[in-house]
Amino acid sequence: MNLKEAFRFQNKLQSLMEEAQGILGSDRKITKVENTYLRKKVMAEAEDETTMDLPSTEYSEKITEVAVFLMHLLEEREKLSAAIHKTKASLDLPAGLDGEVGLNSKRQEIANLLRRMAGLRASETLISNGGTGYRFNNEGNQVSYRCDVKRVVTINFDRNKIRKMCGDLSKKSDEISASLDAALVNAQVDYVAPFDVNDTFADVFESFTAEKATA
């Protein structure tokens, strides 16, 4: 499988592990509770009554098998992670796959910032009654008043230089994105998936237990 498929299968393993952990981590799903109502102690003519609270999962009779299955998934995760690491280390990328992904995300973020700066324009607006002040009236009392405000906005940077930096950064970002996409598709990972990535938890678990039963 290629790197892209490997990452997808890694996510699948994580999803299955979380589902198994959800079953094993719930007391209600891994225990049976017996309640005996001691009615005879209160009324001699009554009979004691026993009820059972059964586990709330379809795997209630296979809890141990679910734990074994979880360990199997962990082993597969370990094998796949090691294979992915080996493939990533062989890639001809200056900062490695993870480093280049992080760097390119930052490049795109900065390019968007520079693009916004380059799009700013000088402007002049009149804000009616936008200003306040104080003066003394004829009686000598200090009173407030309002006045219009002329607001002039000018850019405080070299627009041409900002545009060039934005263009250069965007071009590099696109080139790196293409390299990363090619790496994900072309780089092969030495791992064979033990089941289909689209299989459900029930599908994979049943297949696993069936293999264990015949082994």
Side-chain angles (χ1 to χ4, degrees):
M1 61 173 60
N2 61 32
L3 259 178
K4 186 174 183 179
E5 293 167 333
F7 286 138
R8 185 184 177 199
F9 199 79
Q10 189 176 55
N11 291 335
K12 179 66 175 184
L13 286 173
Q14 177 64 22
S15 174
L16 294 176
M17 290 176 70
E18 289 174 355
E19 193 162 348
Q21 288 175 261
I23 295 171
L24 301 177
S26 171
D27 289 353
R28 292 186 61 222
K29 293 180 179 179
I30 64 174
T31 60
K32 297 178 180 179
V33 179
E34 180 180 282
N35 297 298
T36 300
Y37 297 86
L38 306 175
R39 306 188 192 283
K40 201 171 185 66
K41 292 178 67 174
V42 180
M43 298 180 293
E45 69 278 12
E47 295 294 333
D48 293 345
E49 179 187 1
T50 299
T51 62
M52 291 289 296
D53 291 341
L54 299 177
S56 59
T57 174
E58 60 185 292
Y59 302 102
S60 59
E61 301 304 320
K62 298 181 178 180
I63 295 302
T64 302
E65 287 87 343
V66 172
V68 173
F69 179 55
L70 177 59
M71 295 302 296
H72 167 68
L73 293 173
L74 179 58
E75 290 173 2
E76 289 298 324
R77 179 75 180 271
E78 291 170 350
K79 288 193 293 185
L80 178 56
S81 295
I84 289 175
H85 173 72
K86 185 176 180 180
T87 299
K88 286 163 65 174
S90 69
L91 295 175
D92 185 21
L93 295 170
L97 182 65
D98 295 337
E100 288 296 348
V101 168
L103 283 170
N104 221 38
S105 175
K106 182 56 66 175
R107 289 186 190 104
Q108 292 165 356
E109 180 183 323
I110 294 175
N112 287 334
L113 172 63
L114 297 177
R115 191 173 295 111
R116 178 185 175 280
M117 288 179 62
L120 287 178
R121 293 290 181 271
S123 64
E124 180 177 318
T125 55
L126 184 67
I127 305 173
S128 180
N129 291 322
T132 59
Y134 294 91
R135 63 182 179 82
F136 290 97
N137 60 17
N138 294 333
E139 288 75 32
N141 299 319
Q142 190 179 51
V143 295
S144 64
Y145 67 90
R146 303 194 68 85
C147 64
D148 295 344
V149 175
K150 183 174 74 171
R151 174 171 292 174
V152 178
V153 177
T154 55
I155 60 172
N156 193 31
F157 54 86
D158 186 332
R159 188 194 305 281
N160 291 330
K161 193 169 184 178
I162 293 296
R163 281 176 174 166
K164 185 177 186 309
M165 286 191 292
C166 180
D168 292 344
L169 195 56
S170 295
K171 181 180 178 181
K172 183 172 183 178
S173 175
D174 290 343
E175 291 172 350
I176 296 297
S177 290
S179 297
L180 292 174
D181 289 342
L184 289 174
V185 173
N186 297 324
Q188 295 299 305
V189 178
D190 185 17
Y191 176 81
V192 178
F195 54 85
D196 191 277
V197 72
N198 295 310
D199 286 348
T200 65
F201 181 90
D203 293 333
V204 182
F205 178 71
E206 288 172 10
S207 177
F208 172 76
T209 52
E211 286 181 15
K212 284 290 183 182
T214 57

